[in-house]
Amino acid sequence: MRQQQFRGLGGRLIHHEVADIRQHFHGVGGAHEFAGAVAQLGPEARAAGLLSVGDLVTAEGHIVCGDCLPCRTGLAHVCTRTRIIGVDRDGAFADYIVMPASNVMRLDGIPTEIGAVMDPVGNAVHTVLAGEIPGSAVLVLGCGPIGCFAVGIARAAGASLVVASDFNPRRREIAQAMGAHLTLDPGQDDVVARMRELTGGNGADVVCEMSGHPSGHQQAFAAARLGGRVNFLGTPSQTTEVNFARDVIFKGLTLYGVTGRRMYDTWQQMFRFLRAGQFDPRPVITHRFPLDRISDAIQVIKDGQAGKVILEVAT
């Protein structure tokens, strides 16, 4: 059980906003991004000696069974019995939250406000590093917080070119702060043509589709080079029509769907980038609010002027 200090305000919450902030998802207390201090240990966790009361920690928010085929073959991030904190069980909008010790990671000097956003950073790490990044040309479509994190991870992992595309000028500014070599406005720029121009006519080696919009899917297929790769994190709210013969099969594309974080490869990669100083997510954290100002926090996100918003739940 941990006393919480910081919590990241995620898009899942914005899409389920209700009057009573503690009662999201049919009575389950919401929120799944957090960091805080260990307040109490169960007997097994105490006996293992891996954690101590007072440790500053964050946690993997997907609770998995360990018994299904995906879990037993190294794919626990797609466990058939996954339960997500803040969705399927009580989440982080509380003074305390109970988590399995196996899901908990000590921050060991990483600031708690960064610990509070490691869940979405992990989504970006998983998305980007599913492809061969060193020396590659990477296109990030959609510069919400996770897209901007993806820009920084691509740079940290050795991409030779990182291009980011978004309609929102504030988001393009944040993507540039995270290291994008070039940002594009799909409302004004021909993203596919510019990507080909920058790569000698070839296109992107790796496309990270973060928007979840059908137009983003179409751009991703078109912008990827022959034999390239498209990694999908953005979750569509509508069906996308795809000409598989033209856009995928005859181009020899590799498509990869991203959900959550690989357990626990992604976490190890995150910690290494952070501790080596190769990746800093803080330019994406644009606002900080106490919990009693959550309405203001939600509004700045809706206004399109925020990157990642941090809530201080308790100290």
Side-chain angles (χ1 to χ4, degrees), residues 97-283:
I97 181 173
V98 177
M99 291 289 292
S102 59
N103 281 60
V104 177
M105 271 74 63
R106 290 187 308 185
L107 293 174
D108 287 336
I110 293 172
T112 48
E113 73 168 3
I114 292 179
V117 299
M118 288 184 76
D119 174 295
V121 169
N123 294 145
V125 171
H126 186 180
T127 305
V128 174
L129 298 189
E132 279 291 328
I133 299 305
S136 291
V138 177
L139 172 62
V140 177
L141 296 174
C143 297
I146 301 177
C148 289
F149 290 143
V151 167
I153 291 296
R155 286 297 305 267
S160 63
L161 174 68
V162 180
V163 178
S165 173
D166 198 285
F167 289 99
N168 186 313
R170 178 66 180 122
R171 289 181 168 185
R172 294 197 301 273
E173 288 176 5
I174 298 171
Q176 191 165 25
M178 289 300 292
H181 294 98
L182 176 68
T183 60
L184 299 173
D185 176 357
Q188 302 292 328
D189 301 310
D190 186 330
V191 174
V192 174
R194 289 290 284 133
M195 202 66 209
R196 289 178 179 162
E197 177 186 331
L198 292 164
T199 56
N202 293 311
D205 300 300
V206 177
V207 181
C208 298
E209 207 303 302
M210 319 300 272
S211 74
H213 195 276
S215 63
H217 297 159
Q218 292 160 9
Q219 276 192 350
F221 293 133
R225 67 165 172 82
L226 295 173
R229 183 181 184 99
V230 182
N231 300 331
F232 296 91
L233 177 76
T235 304
S237 60
Q238 55 187 300
T239 300
T240 298
E241 290 189 12
V242 180
N243 184 330
F244 272 93
R246 180 194 66 197
D247 295 339
V248 180
I249 298 168
F250 294 140
K251 288 191 73 170
L253 296 186
T254 297
L255 311 184
Y256 181 74
V258 179
T259 182
R261 295 143 299 281
R262 289 186 60 87
M263 299 165 64
Y264 283 86
D265 311 39
T266 299
W267 286 92
Q268 293 305 312
Q269 291 164 329
M270 263 195 292
F271 278 120
R272 288 171 180 172
F273 280 128
L274 288 165
R275 289 173 180 149
Q278 294 174 277
F279 173 75
D280 184 356
R282 283 174 291 193

Side-chain angles (χ1 to χ4, degrees), residues 12 24-25 28-32 61-63 81-91:
R12 187 190 297 270
H24 292 280
F25 305 104
V28 176
H32 57 280
H62 289 194
I63 314 272
R81 301 183 184 90
T82 298
R83 294 180 62 78
I84 303 174
I85 63 169
V87 178
D88 306 301
R89 55 183 280 167
D90 283 338

